[in-house]
Amino acid sequence: PVLTVKGVKKKVKLALTCINSFQSQLRNRPLGLSPTLEGFIRTLDLEKVAQIHFVPNNIKATLVLKGKLDILAIEGDVQKAQDKLKQVFGDETLNLTPEQIAVTEGDGWKVFLGELEAEAKSSSEGCRIELLKNPGSVLLTGFANMVTDIKIKLCDYLDKKRLSSQFIPATKEQVDFVENCLNLSELLDLKNQGISLLPVRTLPTGLKVTGTAENLNTAVSAIKKELLSIQSETFTYDKPGEALALIKQNDSLKVKARDNGCMCVLEFVTNETSTCLSKHKLPNGLSLTIWQKDILHQRADAVVCQLCNCSDPVTGVTKAILTATGIDVPEMINDIKSIMGALTEETALAISAGTLPFKELILAVTPGVGSGVNPVVGNLQSVVMNCLETAEVNQCQSIAFPTLGRPGSTLDQRVRETLTAILENCKETKSKNKYLQHIHLVEKDGSTANKFKEMAQMMVVSADSINKVDACLKKSRQMPTTLKQGYVPSVPAMLLLPTVQIAGKTVMLKKGDITQESTEAIVNSNNNSLDLNSGVSGAILKAAGSTVKDECKKIGSQANDGVVVTGGGQLQCLYIVHVVGPKTAPLITAAVEKTLG
């Protein structure tokens, strides 16, 4: 544009002088705002912006758009114009969390954002809302007042959609009922509200409710109200046979209760004392546990019931087990005979456990009083093997044995025969079991149960020792040919060695020459310089040869409590552990602990 001045020459000249003076003070300066904010201002009526925000504040400035948007102002007002623009306009970036980004992908967000944009356009002070997908943020640009208002509304919306959790305390019975019988999600339409329930069974028990903040409190209130409506009652059934009959029908009772909107929980309670006397790991990986309790109250998949041939009277534990089944015993045996013919000794037959809480009842037929079979052990081994095989075939994970044996035999005989049969069977069936894992020996009489405990500690340890000797023999045969094959005691001889269990480890006392032992390591009580040439240490170093002596020299002098390891040299062992000789009980104890460690 061109500015034309007309008038009296003298006055025109004066006017031009004033105009030139004013023009000399004018400066073109950038707005000093972000590119996005400058882009928003470009969409506005620039003259109107100057009139509303510059003129009333006596700021001699305007906005000029010539390719780029600048402030045109006298030199003293440039900074004032820039500050005024920063006060009037503003931009904000809301960085979204992954959870909030997921919210922006829903239909609810699109509706909400559309309403906000419509509100911004209808206002005299506009605002531009832009959702940046990468890196996940919302950019607000416009008049500062409108940007602040829109930001508050956005944050409030996102906060309401934020997931949070509340814990509702509840009894174990209430938690079980909610999980198994009461579908709260459908009852209260929680899924449509984005609410999820998680039962908490660790103390304190209860329900963990998770959902959006806008719906969580309402859902929690509704769930608490439903929990208050859950009632429970306890009934006791203590008449003869009632408890066992109910336990047997446990599954069907639960189904019937659920069909009627209830939950049935059966708890089998007994006043009988139940004591686990000992637990052992058998050679084939099975566990053997000795119990003092009534075998009818033992938890197991299968229970063994001994029949001393069918002509003998049914008495004792056998009578108690068969009577508790609720089945007529003579009729049951006659039915079995009609199917299989006469029951033979060593038979193991799985039948229905009747009202007993077992998966299988295994009838084990052993020699009777007048059968004349001798010795009993051979028969018992076959009977036990058949019982265990029957349990395995029927996919039982555990089996409970009463005390087996010939009627009229002594307590020691019956206990030893039962244990021997089990141990021999486990030795023969090593690694064959797929289902069976646990064997329980159950005896109600305290003296018999303790006899089982004492004898099991000796017999199971001895059997374990035999396995270790077998492994040692096998390993010694695989040693390099440069090692001399020394004397290794026979397996039967190992049974005669004094043996004790300490902290689950087998300790065996043996008389012999340590330099002749075939083992992985032997211990040598040595001096500080590792060259003691007298006593047992001298014998060990002499038998080991020069290579071990040279290795000791390289290791060098040791402290009084030193423990070092060298090769076995010419000995049958792989290693020699040299302990600098302790002389007092505490030092000896420390040395042993360090050696074993």
Side-chain angles (χ1 to χ4, degrees):
V2 178
L3 179 62
T4 303
V5 181
K6 294 181 179 182
V8 179
K9 186 175 182 180
K10 185 177 181 180
K11 290 185 178 181
V12 167
K13 187 176 180 180
L14 180 61
L16 289 173
T17 301
C18 292
I19 290 172
N20 289 334
S21 175
F22 182 76
Q23 281 184 323
S24 66
Q25 299 178 56
L26 290 177
R27 299 289 184 269
N28 261 358
R29 295 289 185 268
L31 272 62
L33 302 176
S34 65
T36 54
L37 195 54
E38 184 175 315
F40 173 77
I41 295 175
R42 284 171 177 266
T43 64
L44 303 178
D45 186 334
L46 301 181
E47 184 177 347
K48 188 175 181 180
V49 171
Q51 289 293 324
I52 294 175
H53 300 290
F54 291 160
V55 174
N57 293 286
N58 198 26
I59 299 174
K60 299 178 180 64
T62 189
L63 298 175
V64 180
L65 180 59
K66 288 185 177 179
K68 61 178 182 176
L69 183 61
D70 289 333
I71 295 175
L72 180 63
I74 62 173
E75 188 171 7
D77 284 354
V78 171
Q79 186 62 49
K80 292 179 182 179
Q82 288 176 332
D83 292 343
K84 189 63 180 178
L85 289 177
K86 290 178 182 178
Q87 179 184 344
V88 173
F89 298 100
D91 55 2
E92 289 276 0
T93 301
L94 297 179
N95 293 319
L96 305 178
T97 64
E99 184 181 331
Q100 291 172 331
I101 292 175
V103 171
T104 63
E105 295 172 351
D107 293 335
W109 168 263
K110 295 177 183 178
V111 174
F112 170 73
L113 197 61
E115 293 174 351
L116 273 186
E117 290 174 337
E119 178 185 342
K121 288 179 181 179
S122 64
S123 172
S124 58
E125 297 185 343
C127 177
R128 180 187 295 166
I129 305 173
E130 187 176 356
L131 181 62
L132 304 178
K133 293 292 183 181
N134 191 11
S137 59
V138 178
L139 177 61
L140 304 177
T141 308
F143 287 92
N145 291 338
M146 180 58 71
V147 168
T148 301
D149 183 57
I150 295 294
K151 178 184 176 182
I152 292 173
K153 291 179 179 179
L154 280 172
C155 291
D156 181 61
Y157 179 87
L158 292 173
D159 283 343
K160 287 181 179 179
K161 299 298 180 182
R162 178 176 51 85
L163 289 177
S164 57
S165 300
Q166 284 194 36
F167 177 76
I168 303 177
T171 65
K172 178 182 178 298
E173 289 75 17
Q174 288 176 321
V175 173
D176 290 339
F177 185 74
V178 167
E179 184 178 22
N180 298 313
C181 302
L182 188 61
N183 195 334
L184 285 179
S185 295
E186 293 185 6
L187 182 65
L188 302 176
D189 195 26
L190 298 181
K191 289 184 179 179
N192 291 333
Q193 301 175 44
I195 302 294
S196 63
L197 286 178
L198 179 67
V200 179
R201 300 191 179 281
T202 56
L203 294 176
T205 57
L207 298 172
K208 183 180 179 182
V209 188
T210 303
T212 58
E214 61 182 343
N215 295 324
L216 187 61
N217 290 334
T218 303
V220 168
S221 299
I223 292 170
K224 286 182 177 179
K225 185 177 179 181
E226 289 296 330
L227 288 177
L228 290 174
S229 67
I230 299 174
Q231 302 293 326
S232 64
E233 288 191 46
T234 301
F235 301 92
T236 302
Y237 299 91
D238 53 4
K239 293 180 181 179
E242 280 187 336
L244 292 175
L246 290 173
I247 290 291
K248 195 68 176 179
Q249 301 299 320
N250 189 16
D251 292 339
S252 61
L253 288 172
K254 286 182 178 180
V255 172
K256 290 179 180 179
R258 191 180 297 113
D259 292 342
N260 288 278
C262 300
M263 183 179 70
C264 176
V265 179
L266 295 181
E267 183 178 357
F268 192 68
V269 180
T270 175
N271 294 325
E272 294 257 354
T273 57
S274 175
T275 306
C276 176
L277 298 181
S278 63
K279 192 168 185 178
H280 310 271
K281 196 74 171 179
L282 299 180
N284 64 342
L286 299 186
S287 69
L288 172 65
T289 308
I290 312 297
W291 294 91
Q292 181 187 346
K293 64 189 300 186
D294 188 338
I295 197 170
L296 294 176
H297 300 147
Q298 176 64 42
R299 290 189 176 184
D301 290 338
V303 62
V304 175
C305 179
Q306 180 184 10
L307 292 176
C308 295
N309 78 41
C310 297
S311 62
D312 288 342
V314 176
T315 59
V317 177
T318 300
K319 182 177 181 181
I321 294 175
L322 294 178
T323 302
T325 62
I327 303 172
D328 184 85
V329 177
E331 183 180 346
M332 173 186 65
I333 294 177
N334 288 331
D335 289 341
I336 295 171
K337 282 184 177 182
S338 64
I339 297 172
M340 295 183 57
L343 286 177
T344 59
E345 294 169 357
E346 303 179 11
T347 297
L349 177 67
I351 66 171
S352 169
T355 57
L356 286 174
F358 301 106
K359 181 178 178 182
E360 303 290 345
L361 174 62
I362 299 178
L363 296 180
V365 183
T366 58
V369 175
S371 65
V373 177
N374 190 40
V376 173
V377 174
N379 278 96
L380 282 182
Q381 289 178 9
S382 298
V383 170
V384 169
M385 179 182 293
N386 292 336
C387 289
L388 295 178
E389 288 180 353
T390 302
E392 175 72 16
V393 168
N394 287 276
Q395 300 183 7
C396 296
Q397 293 185 356
S398 56
I399 184 171
F401 281 91
T403 304
L404 303 177
R406 182 197 299 273
S409 58
T410 65
L411 174 60
D412 279 5
Q413 286 175 329
R414 287 186 285 118
V415 171
R416 182 179 294 277
E417 289 165 2
T418 303
L419 281 172
T420 301
I422 290 175
L423 289 175
E424 286 300 316
N425 175 74
C426 290
K427 182 180 178 182
E428 292 175 12
T429 59
K430 190 171 184 179
S431 304
K432 289 184 179 180
N433 292 322
K434 180 180 179 181
Y435 299 100
L436 190 61
Q437 301 295 324
H438 309 285
I439 299 176
H440 302 284
L441 274 177
V442 188
E443 177 57 56
K444 188 175 182 179
D445 178 68
S447 60
T448 306
N450 280 299
K451 180 65 69 173
F452 265 120
K453 174 187 174 183
E454 294 169 6
M455 202 162 291
Q457 288 175 338
M458 292 187 295
M459 296 179 69
V460 175
V461 167
S462 297
D464 188 49
S465 301
I466 292 174
N467 291 335
K468 292 186 177 179
V469 171
D470 286 340
C472 188
L473 284 167
K474 183 178 180 182
K475 190 165 189 176
S476 67
R477 297 189 191 102
Q478 297 172 347
M479 287 183 177
T481 55
T482 54
L483 295 179
K484 290 196 302 182
Q485 299 302 308
Y487 166 75
V488 179
S490 64
V491 172
M494 298 296 288
L495 292 175
L496 304 177
L497 300 177
T499 305
V500 65
Q501 287 283 105
I502 300 177
K505 305 297 182 183
T506 303
V507 179
M508 190 179 299
L509 179 62
K510 181 182 176 184
K511 181 180 179 180
D513 184 354
I514 195 171
T515 63
Q516 300 298 318
E517 284 299 312
S518 176
T519 182
E520 288 192 15
I522 65 172
V523 178
N524 177 28
S525 179
N526 216 326
N527 58 14
N528 297 87
S529 55
L530 305 180
D531 59 359
L532 184 61
N533 58 5
S534 62
V536 176
S537 178
I540 291 175
L541 293 177
K542 181 179 179 180
S546 59
T547 57
V548 175
K549 293 180 181 179
D550 293 341
E551 194 173 352
C552 288
K553 287 180 182 179
K554 289 181 181 180
I555 294 173
S557 182
Q558 298 294 310
N560 288 331
D561 60 345
V563 177
V564 296
V565 180
T566 67
Q570 297 178 21
L571 297 177
Q572 301 300 316
C573 63
L574 299 178
Y575 306 102
I576 302 175
V577 181
H578 301 267
V579 180
V580 177
K583 294 181 175 60
T584 63
L587 290 178
I588 293 173
T589 301
V592 171
E593 290 178 347
K594 186 179 290 187
T595 302
L596 294 177

